[in-house]
Amino acid sequence: RTVPLKDARVRQPSWGRVYLAPSLLSGETQHAYALEVLANILGGGSSSRLFRTLVVEAKLALSAGAYYGADSRGPSRFGIYASPKPGVSMETLEAKVEEELAKLIDGGVTASELARAKKRMQSTAIFARDSLSGGARTLGAALAIGLKVDDVEAWPERIGAVTVEQISDAAKAVLKEGRSVTSYLLTKKTG
């Protein structure tokens, strides 16, 4: 289902898709850590698949990314987003995103993509622990939804244990047609 939204205050159009996903505490919880790594591979910065494909190579988008939060008490969301370059239609952008998702479902991720994502994510966790407020905030958020201190402490090791096969299984379980909503945020012409 596609939901177009228009507003005169929108300066840059945006395309987005959100999939219903499990969390650490709800649904098929065995996919949570793999989905965290998958979101990083797909949309975790300028070296991610979506950014590289949509922004750098195809030159269809100004930005692109993905996100996932495993720390929900109930079901969570796996999201993908992109902003088209001027003159690029939402349909063209959406078709390219869907092409990349099909490649992911059919071919999975590579071992080198997995290794790079794990390293980025684990490094971020280490730096967060160096912050006076980062560790407390992370621990407090986890405890508030019902996780334990051990869950927070073991996160880097659990991310490190994610396999290519687990990511493939998680992608196939979550990135399904009929389990998502696609949105177009467009500029509304006034006058």
Side-chain angles (χ1 to χ4, degrees):
R1 181 171 172 219
T2 302
V3 180
L5 303 170
K6 294 182 179 186
D7 193 291
R9 296 172 290 183
V10 173
R11 297 289 170 242
Q12 177 57 48
S14 179
W15 177 92
R17 180 170 292 161
V18 177
Y19 292 89
L20 183 61
S23 68
L24 287 168
L25 298 171
S26 176
E28 297 178 73
T29 59
Q30 75 274 15
H31 296 309
Y33 294 110
L35 288 170
E36 286 189 66
V37 178
L38 176 59
N40 193 282
I41 290 170
L42 269 181
S46 61
S47 63
S48 69
R49 271 194 187 194
L50 290 175
F51 189 92
R52 198 176 62 248
T53 300
L54 298 172
V55 177
V56 178
E57 295 168 7
K59 299 185 183 341
L60 296 174
L62 298 171
S63 64
Y67 60 91
Y68 169 71
D71 54 353
S72 295
R73 192 132 176 86
S76 189
R77 300 174 306 203
F78 189 98
I80 300 168
Y81 60 89
S83 284
K85 277 189 154 182
V88 174
S89 72
M90 288 292 191
E91 294 78 16
T92 300
L93 185 63
E94 183 173 12
K96 189 64 174 174
V97 171
E98 288 176 348
E99 181 183 313
E100 286 305 306
L101 292 176
K103 285 181 189 176
L104 170 70
I105 297 297
D106 292 341
V109 299
T110 66
S112 62
E113 283 179 311
L114 177 58
R116 285 191 308 271
K118 286 179 183 183
K119 185 175 182 178
R120 279 191 305 265
M121 295 172 76
Q122 290 170 329
S123 295
T124 300
I126 290 167
F127 288 125
R129 288 179 180 181
D130 286 345
S131 162
L132 288 175
S133 62
R137 194 177 1 251
T138 300
L139 186 58
L143 293 173
I145 65 161
L147 295 175
K148 296 179 174 68
V149 173
D150 290 344
D151 295 321
V152 175
E153 292 296 322
W155 184 87
E157 292 78 28
R158 291 177 183 165
I159 290 298
V162 171
T163 66
V164 168
E165 294 78 18
Q166 288 171 326
I167 291 175
S168 181
D169 291 346
K172 289 173 183 172
V174 172
L175 304 179
K176 292 189 209 178
E177 198 171 321
R179 290 179 52 113
S180 68
V181 172
T182 301
S183 64
Y184 293 0
L185 181 58
L186 306 168
T187 300
K188 182 177 183 179
K189 305 291 185 209
T190 58

